[in-house]
Amino acid sequence: MNNYEKYRQVQKEAAATGLLLLVLIVFWICAGFGLADVRMEVFHLPLWVWTATIGVWLFAIGGVKLLTTAVFRDMSLEDEEVGHDDK
């Protein structure tokens, strides 16, 4: 893998991570504010508390698992460009 391919892979990983962050923010808003009017309680706490905390945490774990299996690649960060003579 040359430097340009590594650069493209790092860009792809950064973009996917940023997209996951945006999805998590939207999910958090929907899970917290969207369920604020629901009068259901779990262990004497409103449902929105559970969905906006534990739900987002579990959603984030699933998203990171998806990123590590589908987007991220294990690559060496050492400079492997051929053609440089260090004399």
Side-chain angles (χ1 to χ4, degrees), residues 15-50:
T17 303
L19 180 62
L20 176 62
L21 174 62
L22 289 176
V23 169
L24 283 171
I25 291 170
V26 169
F27 181 80
W28 176 73
I29 290 170
C30 292
F33 296 111
L35 295 175
D37 292 333
V38 175
R39 299 290 173 219
M40 183 177 170
E41 290 188 358
V42 179
F43 298 115
H44 303 288
L45 289 172
L47 180 64
W48 68 266
V49 171
W50 293 102

PDB file of all heavy atoms in Angstrom, residues 15-50:
ATOM      1  N   ALA A  15     -14.041   9.905   7.655  1.00  0.00           N
ATOM      2  CA  ALA A  15     -15.385  10.265   7.201  1.00  0.00           C
ATOM      3  C   ALA A  15     -16.434   9.337   7.806  1.00  0.00           C
ATOM      4  O   ALA A  15     -17.499   9.793   8.245  1.00  0.00           O
ATOM      5  CB  ALA A  15     -15.453  10.227   5.682  1.00  0.00           C
ATOM      6  N   ALA A  16     -16.156   8.055   7.858  1.00  0.00           N
ATOM      7  CA  ALA A  16     -17.101   7.098   8.432  1.00  0.00           C
ATOM      8  C   ALA A  16     -17.277   7.333   9.925  1.00  0.00           C
ATOM      9  O   ALA A  16     -18.401   7.234  10.451  1.00  0.00           O
ATOM     10  CB  ALA A  16     -16.630   5.673   8.167  1.00  0.00           C
ATOM     11  N   THR A  17     -16.206   7.680  10.620  1.00  0.00           N
ATOM     12  CA  THR A  17     -16.290   7.963  12.043  1.00  0.00           C
ATOM     13  C   THR A  17     -17.103   9.229  12.292  1.00  0.00           C
ATOM     14  O   THR A  17     -17.930   9.286  13.209  1.00  0.00           O
ATOM     15  CB  THR A  17     -14.884   8.104  12.649  1.00  0.00           C
ATOM     16  OG1 THR A  17     -14.142   6.905  12.385  1.00  0.00           O
ATOM     17  CG2 THR A  17     -14.938   8.336  14.145  1.00  0.00           C
ATOM     18  N   GLY A  18     -16.894  10.254  11.469  1.00  0.00           N
ATOM     19  CA  GLY A  18     -17.684  11.477  11.587  1.00  0.00           C
ATOM     20  C   GLY A  18     -19.155  11.231  11.310  1.00  0.00           C
ATOM     21  O   GLY A  18     -20.031  11.780  11.992  1.00  0.00           O
ATOM     22  N   LEU A  19     -19.439  10.405  10.315  1.00  0.00           N
ATOM     23  CA  LEU A  19     -20.830  10.064  10.005  1.00  0.00           C
ATOM     24  C   LEU A  19     -21.479   9.311  11.167  1.00  0.00           C
ATOM     25  O   LEU A  19     -22.634   9.585  11.525  1.00  0.00           O
ATOM     26  CB  LEU A  19     -20.900   9.227   8.729  1.00  0.00           C
ATOM     27  CG  LEU A  19     -22.288   8.800   8.282  1.00  0.00           C
ATOM     28  CD1 LEU A  19     -23.145  10.017   7.956  1.00  0.00           C
ATOM     29  CD2 LEU A  19     -22.189   7.874   7.082  1.00  0.00           C
ATOM     30  N   LEU A  20     -20.741   8.398  11.767  1.00  0.00           N
ATOM     31  CA  LEU A  20     -21.273   7.681  12.933  1.00  0.00           C
ATOM     32  C   LEU A  20     -21.560   8.653  14.065  1.00  0.00           C
ATOM     33  O   LEU A  20     -22.584   8.533  14.753  1.00  0.00           O
ATOM     34  CB  LEU A  20     -20.309   6.588  13.399  1.00  0.00           C
ATOM     35  CG  LEU A  20     -20.730   5.842  14.665  1.00  0.00           C
ATOM     36  CD1 LEU A  20     -22.048   5.106  14.457  1.00  0.00           C
ATOM     37  CD2 LEU A  20     -19.639   4.878  15.103  1.00  0.00           C
ATOM     38  N   LEU A  21     -20.700   9.631  14.270  1.00  0.00           N
ATOM     39  CA  LEU A  21     -20.938  10.632  15.309  1.00  0.00           C
ATOM     40  C   LEU A  21     -22.234  11.394  15.043  1.00  0.00           C
ATOM     41  O   LEU A  21     -23.044  11.590  15.955  1.00  0.00           O
ATOM     42  CB  LEU A  21     -19.763  11.607  15.396  1.00  0.00           C
ATOM     43  CG  LEU A  21     -19.942  12.780  16.351  1.00  0.00           C
ATOM     44  CD1 LEU A  21     -20.115  12.298  17.778  1.00  0.00           C
ATOM     45  CD2 LEU A  21     -18.785  13.741  16.229  1.00  0.00           C
ATOM     46  N   LEU A  22     -22.442  11.811  13.810  1.00  0.00           N
ATOM     47  CA  LEU A  22     -23.678  12.524  13.471  1.00  0.00           C
ATOM     48  C   LEU A  22     -24.912  11.643  13.686  1.00  0.00           C
ATOM     49  O   LEU A  22     -25.935  12.107  14.214  1.00  0.00           O
ATOM     50  CB  LEU A  22     -23.632  13.019  12.033  1.00  0.00           C
ATOM     51  CG  LEU A  22     -22.668  14.173  11.766  1.00  0.00           C
ATOM     52  CD1 LEU A  22     -22.641  14.492  10.278  1.00  0.00           C
ATOM     53  CD2 LEU A  22     -23.043  15.389  12.572  1.00  0.00           C
ATOM     54  N   VAL A  23     -24.810  10.378  13.308  1.00  0.00           N
ATOM     55  CA  VAL A  23     -25.929   9.445  13.511  1.00  0.00           C
ATOM     56  C   VAL A  23     -26.193   9.265  15.005  1.00  0.00           C
ATOM     57  O   VAL A  23     -27.354   9.229  15.438  1.00  0.00           O
ATOM     58  CB  VAL A  23     -25.640   8.093  12.820  1.00  0.00           C
ATOM     59  CG1 VAL A  23     -26.650   7.036  13.232  1.00  0.00           C
ATOM     60  CG2 VAL A  23     -25.630   8.267  11.313  1.00  0.00           C
ATOM     61  N   LEU A  24     -25.142   9.178  15.805  1.00  0.00           N
ATOM     62  CA  LEU A  24     -25.314   9.042  17.254  1.00  0.00           C
ATOM     63  C   LEU A  24     -25.974  10.277  17.859  1.00  0.00           C
ATOM     64  O   LEU A  24     -26.832  10.168  18.743  1.00  0.00           O
ATOM     65  CB  LEU A  24     -23.969   8.793  17.932  1.00  0.00           C
ATOM     66  CG  LEU A  24     -23.414   7.388  17.809  1.00  0.00           C
ATOM     67  CD1 LEU A  24     -21.995   7.328  18.335  1.00  0.00           C
ATOM     68  CD2 LEU A  24     -24.296   6.407  18.548  1.00  0.00           C
ATOM     69  N   ILE A  25     -25.606  11.458  17.379  1.00  0.00           N
ATOM     70  CA  ILE A  25     -26.216  12.682  17.888  1.00  0.00           C
ATOM     71  C   ILE A  25     -27.707  12.714  17.558  1.00  0.00           C
ATOM     72  O   ILE A  25     -28.536  13.035  18.419  1.00  0.00           O
ATOM     73  CB  ILE A  25     -25.485  13.918  17.339  1.00  0.00           C
ATOM     74  CG1 ILE A  25     -24.083  14.007  17.961  1.00  0.00           C
ATOM     75  CG2 ILE A  25     -26.277  15.194  17.608  1.00  0.00           C
ATOM     76  CD1 ILE A  25     -23.181  15.047  17.315  1.00  0.00           C
ATOM     77  N   VAL A  26     -28.056  12.365  16.322  1.00  0.00           N
ATOM     78  CA  VAL A  26     -29.464  12.339  15.927  1.00  0.00           C
ATOM     79  C   VAL A  26     -30.228  11.292  16.735  1.00  0.00           C
ATOM     80  O   VAL A  26     -31.345  11.539  17.212  1.00  0.00           O
ATOM     81  CB  VAL A  26     -29.595  12.088  14.406  1.00  0.00           C
ATOM     82  CG1 VAL A  26     -31.032  11.802  14.015  1.00  0.00           C
ATOM     83  CG2 VAL A  26     -29.057  13.273  13.626  1.00  0.00           C
ATOM     84  N   PHE A  27     -29.622  10.122  16.927  1.00  0.00           N
ATOM     85  CA  PHE A  27     -30.271   9.081  17.728  1.00  0.00           C
ATOM     86  C   PHE A  27     -30.475   9.553  19.161  1.00  0.00           C
ATOM     87  O   PHE A  27     -31.529   9.324  19.756  1.00  0.00           O
ATOM     88  CB  PHE A  27     -29.434   7.798  17.703  1.00  0.00           C
ATOM     89  CG  PHE A  27     -30.037   6.671  18.491  1.00  0.00           C
ATOM     90  CD1 PHE A  27     -31.058   5.907  17.954  1.00  0.00           C
ATOM     91  CD2 PHE A  27     -29.595   6.380  19.769  1.00  0.00           C
ATOM     92  CE1 PHE A  27     -31.631   4.873  18.677  1.00  0.00           C
ATOM     93  CE2 PHE A  27     -30.157   5.351  20.503  1.00  0.00           C
ATOM     94  CZ  PHE A  27     -31.177   4.596  19.951  1.00  0.00           C
ATOM     95  N   TRP A  28     -29.480  10.226  19.730  1.00  0.00           N
ATOM     96  CA  TRP A  28     -29.574  10.723  21.093  1.00  0.00           C
ATOM     97  C   TRP A  28     -30.704  11.740  21.225  1.00  0.00           C
ATOM     98  O   TRP A  28     -31.478  11.704  22.183  1.00  0.00           O
ATOM     99  CB  TRP A  28     -28.243  11.345  21.517  1.00  0.00           C
ATOM    100  CG  TRP A  28     -28.277  11.973  22.860  1.00  0.00           C
ATOM    101  CD1 TRP A  28     -28.314  11.352  24.073  1.00  0.00           C
ATOM    102  CD2 TRP A  28     -28.287  13.377  23.129  1.00  0.00           C
ATOM    103  NE1 TRP A  28     -28.341  12.277  25.079  1.00  0.00           N
ATOM    104  CE2 TRP A  28     -28.320  13.531  24.523  1.00  0.00           C
ATOM    105  CE3 TRP A  28     -28.261  14.502  22.330  1.00  0.00           C
ATOM    106  CZ2 TRP A  28     -28.331  14.777  25.129  1.00  0.00           C
ATOM    107  CZ3 TRP A  28     -28.271  15.744  22.938  1.00  0.00           C
ATOM    108  CH2 TRP A  28     -28.307  15.871  24.322  1.00  0.00           C
ATOM    109  N   ILE A  29     -30.808  12.648  20.240  1.00  0.00           N
ATOM    110  CA  ILE A  29     -31.875  13.646  20.268  1.00  0.00           C
ATOM    111  C   ILE A  29     -33.242  12.968  20.168  1.00  0.00           C
ATOM    112  O   ILE A  29     -34.167  13.287  20.924  1.00  0.00           O
ATOM    113  CB  ILE A  29     -31.680  14.680  19.141  1.00  0.00           C
ATOM    114  CG1 ILE A  29     -30.468  15.554  19.453  1.00  0.00           C
ATOM    115  CG2 ILE A  29     -32.921  15.529  18.956  1.00  0.00           C
ATOM    116  CD1 ILE A  29     -30.033  16.445  18.316  1.00  0.00           C
ATOM    117  N   CYS A  30     -33.367  12.023  19.249  1.00  0.00           N
ATOM    118  CA  CYS A  30     -34.645  11.319  19.081  1.00  0.00           C
ATOM    119  C   CYS A  30     -34.985  10.467  20.296  1.00  0.00           C
ATOM    120  O   CYS A  30     -36.144  10.418  20.730  1.00  0.00           O
ATOM    121  CB  CYS A  30     -34.611  10.449  17.831  1.00  0.00           C
ATOM    122  SG  CYS A  30     -34.544  11.392  16.306  1.00  0.00           S
ATOM    123  N   ALA A  31     -33.994   9.793  20.853  1.00  0.00           N
ATOM    124  CA  ALA A  31     -34.240   8.917  22.000  1.00  0.00           C
ATOM    125  C   ALA A  31     -34.545   9.717  23.252  1.00  0.00           C
ATOM    126  O   ALA A  31     -35.355   9.291  24.085  1.00  0.00           O
ATOM    127  CB  ALA A  31     -33.032   8.017  22.240  1.00  0.00           C
ATOM    128  N   GLY A  32     -33.926  10.872  23.413  1.00  0.00           N
ATOM    129  CA  GLY A  32     -34.165  11.679  24.608  1.00  0.00           C
ATOM    130  C   GLY A  32     -35.370  12.581  24.482  1.00  0.00           C
ATOM    131  O   GLY A  32     -36.348  12.455  25.211  1.00  0.00           O
ATOM    132  N   PHE A  33     -35.320  13.501  23.533  1.00  0.00           N
ATOM    133  CA  PHE A  33     -36.405  14.467  23.379  1.00  0.00           C
ATOM    134  C   PHE A  33     -37.629  13.858  22.714  1.00  0.00           C
ATOM    135  O   PHE A  33     -38.755  14.251  23.010  1.00  0.00           O
ATOM    136  CB  PHE A  33     -35.919  15.683  22.577  1.00  0.00           C
ATOM    137  CG  PHE A  33     -34.831  16.443  23.281  1.00  0.00           C
ATOM    138  CD1 PHE A  33     -33.544  16.441  22.779  1.00  0.00           C
ATOM    139  CD2 PHE A  33     -35.098  17.143  24.441  1.00  0.00           C
ATOM    140  CE1 PHE A  33     -32.537  17.131  23.422  1.00  0.00           C
ATOM    141  CE2 PHE A  33     -34.094  17.838  25.090  1.00  0.00           C
ATOM    142  CZ  PHE A  33     -32.811  17.840  24.581  1.00  0.00           C
ATOM    143  N   GLY A  34     -37.420  12.930  21.803  1.00  0.00           N
ATOM    144  CA  GLY A  34     -38.546  12.316  21.103  1.00  0.00           C
ATOM    145  C   GLY A  34     -39.419  11.469  22.001  1.00  0.00           C
ATOM    146  O   GLY A  34     -40.621  11.336  21.771  1.00  0.00           O
ATOM    147  N   LEU A  35     -38.846  10.898  23.028  1.00  0.00           N
ATOM    148  CA  LEU A  35     -39.612  10.054  23.946  1.00  0.00           C
ATOM    149  C   LEU A  35     -39.951  10.770  25.254  1.00  0.00           C
ATOM    150  O   LEU A  35     -40.398  10.145  26.210  1.00  0.00           O
ATOM    151  CB  LEU A  35     -38.836   8.768  24.253  1.00  0.00           C
ATOM    152  CG  LEU A  35     -38.614   7.823  23.073  1.00  0.00           C
ATOM    153  CD1 LEU A  35     -37.736   6.649  23.490  1.00  0.00           C
ATOM    154  CD2 LEU A  35     -39.946   7.328  22.541  1.00  0.00           C
ATOM    155  N   ALA A  36     -39.756  12.073  25.312  1.00  0.00           N
ATOM    156  CA  ALA A  36     -40.000  12.821  26.552  1.00  0.00           C
ATOM    157  C   ALA A  36     -41.472  12.802  26.963  1.00  0.00           C
ATOM    158  O   ALA A  36     -41.783  12.869  28.150  1.00  0.00           O
ATOM    159  CB  ALA A  36     -39.515  14.255  26.398  1.00  0.00           C
ATOM    160  N   ASP A  37     -42.374  12.702  25.998  1.00  0.00           N
ATOM    161  CA  ASP A  37     -43.802  12.715  26.324  1.00  0.00           C
ATOM    162  C   ASP A  37     -44.364  11.331  26.643  1.00  0.00           C
ATOM    163  O   ASP A  37     -45.518  11.217  27.044  1.00  0.00           O
ATOM    164  CB  ASP A  37     -44.592  13.323  25.162  1.00  0.00           C
ATOM    165  CG  ASP A  37     -44.305  14.798  24.994  1.00  0.00           C
ATOM    166  OD1 ASP A  37     -43.953  15.447  26.000  1.00  0.00           O
ATOM    167  OD2 ASP A  37     -44.417  15.296  23.859  1.00  0.00           O
ATOM    168  N   VAL A  38     -43.563  10.289  26.457  1.00  0.00           N
ATOM    169  CA  VAL A  38     -44.021   8.931  26.754  1.00  0.00           C
ATOM    170  C   VAL A  38     -44.031   8.746  28.267  1.00  0.00           C
ATOM    171  O   VAL A  38     -43.034   9.005  28.939  1.00  0.00           O
ATOM    172  CB  VAL A  38     -43.109   7.877  26.069  1.00  0.00           C
ATOM    173  CG1 VAL A  38     -43.503   6.480  26.469  1.00  0.00           C
ATOM    174  CG2 VAL A  38     -43.148   8.057  24.568  1.00  0.00           C
ATOM    175  N   ARG A  39     -45.145   8.321  28.808  1.00  0.00           N
ATOM    176  CA  ARG A  39     -45.311   8.192  30.263  1.00  0.00           C
ATOM    177  C   ARG A  39     -44.978   6.796  30.778  1.00  0.00           C
ATOM    178  O   ARG A  39     -45.549   6.341  31.750  1.00  0.00           O
ATOM    179  CB  ARG A  39     -46.745   8.542  30.646  1.00  0.00           C
ATOM    180  CG  ARG A  39     -47.145   9.932  30.293  1.00  0.00           C
ATOM    181  CD  ARG A  39     -46.423  10.926  31.181  1.00  0.00           C
ATOM    182  NE  ARG A  39     -46.691  12.285  30.717  1.00  0.00           N
ATOM    183  CZ  ARG A  39     -45.792  13.240  30.697  1.00  0.00           C
ATOM    184  NH1 ARG A  39     -44.564  13.001  31.105  1.00  0.00           N
ATOM    185  NH2 ARG A  39     -46.108  14.443  30.273  1.00  0.00           N
ATOM    186  N   MET A  40     -44.030   6.136  30.172  1.00  0.00           N
ATOM    187  CA  MET A  40     -43.621   4.802  30.608  1.00  0.00           C
ATOM    188  C   MET A  40     -42.392   4.933  31.506  1.00  0.00           C
ATOM    189  O   MET A  40     -41.504   5.746  31.247  1.00  0.00           O
ATOM    190  CB  MET A  40     -43.291   3.945  29.386  1.00  0.00           C
ATOM    191  CG  MET A  40     -42.922   2.536  29.705  1.00  0.00           C
ATOM    192  SD  MET A  40     -42.642   1.644  28.161  1.00  0.00           S
ATOM    193  CE  MET A  40     -41.949   0.165  28.782  1.00  0.00           C
ATOM    194  N   GLU A  41     -42.360   4.141  32.566  1.00  0.00           N
ATOM    195  CA  GLU A  41     -41.219   4.164  33.481  1.00  0.00           C
ATOM    196  C   GLU A  41     -40.622   2.776  33.623  1.00  0.00           C
ATOM    197  O   GLU A  41     -41.325   1.776  33.610  1.00  0.00           O
ATOM    198  CB  GLU A  41     -41.646   4.677  34.861  1.00  0.00           C
ATOM    199  CG  GLU A  41     -41.994   6.147  34.885  1.00  0.00           C
ATOM    200  CD  GLU A  41     -42.224   6.657  36.294  1.00  0.00           C
ATOM    201  OE1 GLU A  41     -42.155   5.860  37.257  1.00  0.00           O
ATOM    202  OE2 GLU A  41     -42.478   7.870  36.425  1.00  0.00           O
ATOM    203  N   VAL A  42     -39.321   2.733  33.754  1.00  0.00           N
ATOM    204  CA  VAL A  42     -38.579   1.503  33.997  1.00  0.00           C
ATOM    205  C   VAL A  42     -37.713   1.756  35.228  1.00  0.00           C
ATOM    206  O   VAL A  42     -36.874   2.666  35.233  1.00  0.00           O
ATOM    207  CB  VAL A  42     -37.698   1.129  32.778  1.00  0.00           C
ATOM    208  CG1 VAL A  42     -36.910  -0.134  33.066  1.00  0.00           C
ATOM    209  CG2 VAL A  42     -38.543   0.981  31.517  1.00  0.00           C
ATOM    210  N   PHE A  43     -37.934   0.977  36.278  1.00  0.00           N
ATOM    211  CA  PHE A  43     -37.245   1.158  37.565  1.00  0.00           C
ATOM    212  C   PHE A  43     -37.386   2.593  38.074  1.00  0.00           C
ATOM    213  O   PHE A  43     -36.407   3.217  38.506  1.00  0.00           O
ATOM    214  CB  PHE A  43     -35.774   0.753  37.472  1.00  0.00           C
ATOM    215  CG  PHE A  43     -35.560  -0.692  37.136  1.00  0.00           C
ATOM    216  CD1 PHE A  43     -34.961  -1.057  35.939  1.00  0.00           C
ATOM    217  CD2 PHE A  43     -35.963  -1.692  38.001  1.00  0.00           C
ATOM    218  CE1 PHE A  43     -34.754  -2.387  35.611  1.00  0.00           C
ATOM    219  CE2 PHE A  43     -35.762  -3.028  37.686  1.00  0.00           C
ATOM    220  CZ  PHE A  43     -35.157  -3.378  36.491  1.00  0.00           C
ATOM    221  N   HIS A  44     -38.575   3.134  37.986  1.00  0.00           N
ATOM    222  CA  HIS A  44     -38.938   4.462  38.466  1.00  0.00           C
ATOM    223  C   HIS A  44     -38.226   5.596  37.723  1.00  0.00           C
ATOM    224  O   HIS A  44     -38.118   6.702  38.235  1.00  0.00           O
ATOM    225  CB  HIS A  44     -38.690   4.602  39.976  1.00  0.00           C
ATOM    226  CG  HIS A  44     -39.422   3.574  40.772  1.00  0.00           C
ATOM    227  ND1 HIS A  44     -40.788   3.598  40.937  1.00  0.00           N
ATOM    228  CD2 HIS A  44     -38.987   2.467  41.435  1.00  0.00           C
ATOM    229  CE1 HIS A  44     -41.159   2.570  41.683  1.00  0.00           C
ATOM    230  NE2 HIS A  44     -40.089   1.861  41.986  1.00  0.00           N
ATOM    231  N   LEU A  45     -37.715   5.327  36.541  1.00  0.00           N
ATOM    232  CA  LEU A  45     -37.121   6.353  35.685  1.00  0.00           C
ATOM    233  C   LEU A  45     -37.877   6.387  34.363  1.00  0.00           C
ATOM    234  O   LEU A  45     -38.262   5.349  33.845  1.00  0.00           O
ATOM    235  CB  LEU A  45     -35.647   6.056  35.411  1.00  0.00           C
ATOM    236  CG  LEU A  45     -34.681   6.235  36.581  1.00  0.00           C
ATOM    237  CD1 LEU A  45     -33.299   5.716  36.206  1.00  0.00           C
ATOM    238  CD2 LEU A  45     -34.590   7.690  36.979  1.00  0.00           C
ATOM    239  N   PRO A  46     -38.073   7.573  33.808  1.00  0.00           N
ATOM    240  CA  PRO A  46     -38.775   7.658  32.518  1.00  0.00           C
ATOM    241  C   PRO A  46     -38.015   6.900  31.422  1.00  0.00           C
ATOM    242  O   PRO A  46     -36.788   6.759  31.467  1.00  0.00           O
ATOM    243  CB  PRO A  46     -38.795   9.153  32.213  1.00  0.00           C
ATOM    244  CG  PRO A  46     -38.496   9.839  33.501  1.00  0.00           C
ATOM    245  CD  PRO A  46     -37.710   8.879  34.323  1.00  0.00           C
ATOM    246  N   LEU A  47     -38.768   6.449  30.431  1.00  0.00           N
ATOM    247  CA  LEU A  47     -38.174   5.679  29.340  1.00  0.00           C
ATOM    248  C   LEU A  47     -37.098   6.462  28.606  1.00  0.00           C
ATOM    249  O   LEU A  47     -36.075   5.900  28.215  1.00  0.00           O
ATOM    250  CB  LEU A  47     -39.272   5.243  28.361  1.00  0.00           C
ATOM    251  CG  LEU A  47     -38.813   4.431  27.154  1.00  0.00           C
ATOM    252  CD1 LEU A  47     -38.217   3.105  27.616  1.00  0.00           C
ATOM    253  CD2 LEU A  47     -39.963   4.199  26.196  1.00  0.00           C
ATOM    254  N   TRP A  48     -37.297   7.786  28.452  1.00  0.00           N
ATOM    255  CA  TRP A  48     -36.322   8.579  27.710  1.00  0.00           C
ATOM    256  C   TRP A  48     -34.957   8.580  28.383  1.00  0.00           C
ATOM    257  O   TRP A  48     -33.933   8.714  27.716  1.00  0.00           O
ATOM    258  CB  TRP A  48     -36.817  10.010  27.482  1.00  0.00           C
ATOM    259  CG  TRP A  48     -36.932  10.855  28.716  1.00  0.00           C
ATOM    260  CD1 TRP A  48     -38.038  11.037  29.477  1.00  0.00           C
ATOM    261  CD2 TRP A  48     -35.890  11.618  29.317  1.00  0.00           C
ATOM    262  NE1 TRP A  48     -37.751  11.873  30.524  1.00  0.00           N
ATOM    263  CE2 TRP A  48     -36.440  12.247  30.449  1.00  0.00           C
ATOM    264  CE3 TRP A  48     -34.556  11.837  29.025  1.00  0.00           C
ATOM    265  CZ2 TRP A  48     -35.698  13.072  31.285  1.00  0.00           C
ATOM    266  CZ3 TRP A  48     -33.809  12.659  29.849  1.00  0.00           C
ATOM    267  CH2 TRP A  48     -34.380  13.273  30.970  1.00  0.00           C
ATOM    268  N   VAL A  49     -34.913   8.441  29.704  1.00  0.00           N
ATOM    269  CA  VAL A  49     -33.624   8.383  30.409  1.00  0.00           C
ATOM    270  C   VAL A  49     -32.852   7.139  29.971  1.00  0.00           C
ATOM    271  O   VAL A  49     -31.648   7.204  29.691  1.00  0.00           O
ATOM    272  CB  VAL A  49     -33.829   8.389  31.934  1.00  0.00           C
ATOM    273  CG1 VAL A  49     -32.528   8.119  32.669  1.00  0.00           C
ATOM    274  CG2 VAL A  49     -34.438   9.704  32.388  1.00  0.00           C
ATOM    275  N   TRP A  50     -33.541   6.024  29.889  1.00  0.00           N
ATOM    276  CA  TRP A  50     -32.885   4.768  29.501  1.00  0.00           C
ATOM    277  C   TRP A  50     -32.441   4.790  28.042  1.00  0.00           C
ATOM    278  O   TRP A  50     -31.345   4.351  27.712  1.00  0.00           O
ATOM    279  CB  TRP A  50     -33.816   3.584  29.751  1.00  0.00           C
ATOM    280  CG  TRP A  50     -34.065   3.372  31.198  1.00  0.00           C
ATOM    281  CD1 TRP A  50     -35.171   3.735  31.905  1.00  0.00           C
ATOM    282  CD2 TRP A  50     -33.168   2.786  32.145  1.00  0.00           C
ATOM    283  NE1 TRP A  50     -35.028   3.402  33.221  1.00  0.00           N
ATOM    284  CE2 TRP A  50     -33.799   2.812  33.402  1.00  0.00           C
ATOM    285  CE3 TRP A  50     -31.894   2.241  32.055  1.00  0.00           C
ATOM    286  CZ2 TRP A  50     -33.199   2.318  34.547  1.00  0.00           C
ATOM    287  CZ3 TRP A  50     -31.296   1.738  33.200  1.00  0.00           C
ATOM    288  CH2 TRP A  50     -31.944   1.781  34.428  1.00  0.00           C
TER     289      TRP A  50
END
